Amino acid sequence: MITTITLNTAIDKTYYLSRFALNKLNRVDKQLDEPGGKGINVSKVLDTYNLPVTTSGFVGGYNGKFITSQLESRGFHHDFVQVNEESRCCLNIIDDENLVQTEIVEAGPTISQNEWEEMKKKVAKLSAVSQCMIFSGSLPKGLPSDAYSHLLRIAKGNGAKTFLDTSGEALSHSLDAIPFFIKPNEDELKNYLGKDQLTEKDVFQVMDAWSQKGISVIVVSRGEKGAFISYNGVKFAAAPPDIKAVNPVGCGDALVAGMAIGIYKQLPIEDQIKFSIAVSAAAAIETRAGSVSVDNVSRFVDMVSVKEII
Ligand SMILES: Nc1ncnc2c1ncn2[C@@H]1O[C@H](COP(=O)(O)OP(=O)(O)OP(=O)(O)O)[C@@H](O)[C@H]1O
Ligand SMILES: [Mg+2]
């Protein structure tokens, strides 16, 4: 079993308009409502590959009901902690004429002390039956900044491999719990290091430091440039095929899912890297986050270059 945890789930609403104008009445031409949040995007990719997945996290109110009912209608197994306040909506407004994208993200619910205690129990229960526990996304209000550190320790105590994809303090305050896998992107790494620019040397230094701390797999994703990967201290550079991306949002989630699949299936390391980079590139050519075509992934796998960094 692989479990994904999304602490700040969302309904991802996409509004397509021929033209979006401020200070005017805007009518929506086409609308898409998806259960979202980064762990849910990971679940979608895992489900595409028929892996046994449980989707968990916090859900609340009518939006929470929408999220769970959508997952059920797609045959997803879920096991959420219900919260008192409403799960959030994230709005993406796409102006087709000017090719401009505007995002409006709600803050989401404030989690109570009781609800947080319920989540720790849920993670204890799910990690006892999961080989991999994937923690993705930002922390909702009400949780301590080291919330992931608590959950990672619980999951590790039960013998699960832990994956963490988050940013800011949620990331920096959780590294002492030594997750098995982390995947910052370049911006998240700049933020962590407090730098405006990153050299390759900076990236390799921090990867080596994290590896020496005991983090087994470190992926620094670099958008269309691919990724640097440190795997038990051995570093690789991976480059995706040259494709025409239509939506880079959620490519990182696809990369996490791809690595989890490779690790769950115990593929050789280079195959794990090729597969996950192919999955993330396949995600870049889909409009919906969490959507990948198995045929595109198969096509891309042999087009990914992986080189060890000496
Ligand atoms: N334009 C692109 N062409 C090919 N591959 C891409 C492109 N954009 C992203 N990818 C693939 O997706 C991976 C993850 O992308 P990125 O670094 O943008 O993740 P991210 O910022 O964490 O994304 P998100 O958090 O929205 O899921 C990259 O390492 C790369 O393999
Ligand atoms: Mg990301």
Side-chain angles (χ1 to χ4, degrees):
M1 173 76 74
I2 302 181
T3 294
T4 67
I5 304 282
T6 311
L7 298 178
N8 214 352
T9 51
I11 302 179
D12 284 336
K13 284 180 176 284
T14 312
Y15 287 173
Y16 295 90
L17 286 77
S18 47
R19 199 170 186 169
F20 176 57
L22 293 176
N23 231 2
K24 292 258 166 66
L25 172 71
N26 291 276
R27 290 192 194 277
V28 175
D29 296 329
K30 195 176 86 184
Q31 169 173 357
L32 205 75
D33 291 352
E34 273 284 306
K38 301 185 79 58
I40 291 180
N41 294 340
V42 174
S43 285
K44 289 176 184 170
V45 177
L46 297 175
D47 181 70
T48 302
Y49 280 87
N50 297 319
L51 272 96
V53 193
T54 295
T55 303
S56 182
F58 289 119
V59 285
Y62 289 108
N63 291 342
K65 283 207 179 78
F66 175 86
I67 292 166
T68 51
S69 68
Q70 281 290 311
L71 292 175
E72 276 158 29
S73 69
R74 297 169 197 195
F76 281 49
H77 178 251
H78 65 77
D79 189 355
F80 285 98
V81 172
Q82 295 290 327
V83 295
N84 205 25
E85 294 188 13
E86 190 76 24
S87 292
R88 63 192 175 142
C89 280
C90 295
L91 187 57
N92 190 1
I93 302 166
I94 297 181
D95 175 331
D96 286 331
E97 205 169 286
N98 300 307
L99 298 173
V100 178
Q101 213 170 311
T102 309
E103 282 187 76
I104 300 172
V105 175
E106 291 181 7
T110 299
I111 307 300
S112 71
Q113 185 61 34
N114 277 349
E115 291 160 353
W116 172 227
E117 293 306 321
E118 283 305 308
M119 177 52 69
K120 289 190 224 166
K121 284 187 209 151
K122 187 71 83 187
V123 166
K125 177 188 142 192
L126 292 171
S127 58
V129 291
S130 302
Q131 282 85 344
C132 301
M133 292 290 293
I134 303 178
F135 300 91
S136 300
S138 60
L139 295 176
K141 284 178 291 175
L143 295 190
S145 63
D146 65 347
Y148 278 129
S149 153
H150 292 270
L151 301 181
L152 290 166
R153 288 179 209 274
I154 294 168
K156 281 175 67 176
N158 276 337
K161 285 198 162 78
T162 53
F163 293 64
L164 178 66
D165 179 10
T166 189
S167 55
E169 287 193 346
L171 172 69
S172 58
H173 290 182
S174 301
L175 293 174
D176 281 347
I178 320 288
F180 171 80
F181 171 104
I182 53 174
K183 193 218 72 65
N185 64 25
E186 280 185 319
D187 285 340
E188 290 159 354
L189 196 60
K190 274 183 208 161
N191 186 277
Y192 174 81
L193 294 171
K195 292 194 169 195
D196 293 334
Q197 294 298 324
L198 273 186
T199 63
E200 292 193 353
K201 197 173 156 213
D202 295 329
V203 179
F204 299 155
Q205 265 177 0
V206 73
M207 286 172 99
D208 287 340
W210 280 338
S211 170
Q212 274 154 27
K213 235 169 126 71
I215 302 173
S216 302
V217 185
I218 302 146
V219 179
V220 175
S221 67
R222 311 166 65 221
E224 65 186 357
K225 292 176 289 180
F228 292 128
I229 301 107
S230 163
Y231 210 115
N232 294 328
V234 183
K235 291 195 289 300
F236 300 89
D242 191 8
I243 50 154
K244 199 170 172 328
V246 294
N247 177 23
V249 177
C251 288
D253 306 328
L255 177 44
V256 172
M259 285 300 292
I261 294 171
I263 288 164
Y264 185 81
K265 292 188 172 173
Q266 300 183 333
L267 300 181
I269 291 173
E270 287 211 17
D271 292 353
Q272 290 180 17
I273 297 172
K274 280 191 173 174
F275 177 73
S276 59
I277 296 291
V279 172
S280 62
I285 57 172
E286 300 286 341
T287 46
R288 292 183 196 214
S291 171
V292 290
S293 138
V294 172
D295 287 346
N296 285 336
V297 175
S298 308
R299 208 156 49 84
F300 290 162
V301 164
D302 291 329
M303 296 157 76
V304 175
S305 97
V306 180
K307 286 197 190 96
E308 191 177 329
I309 301 163
I310 313 282

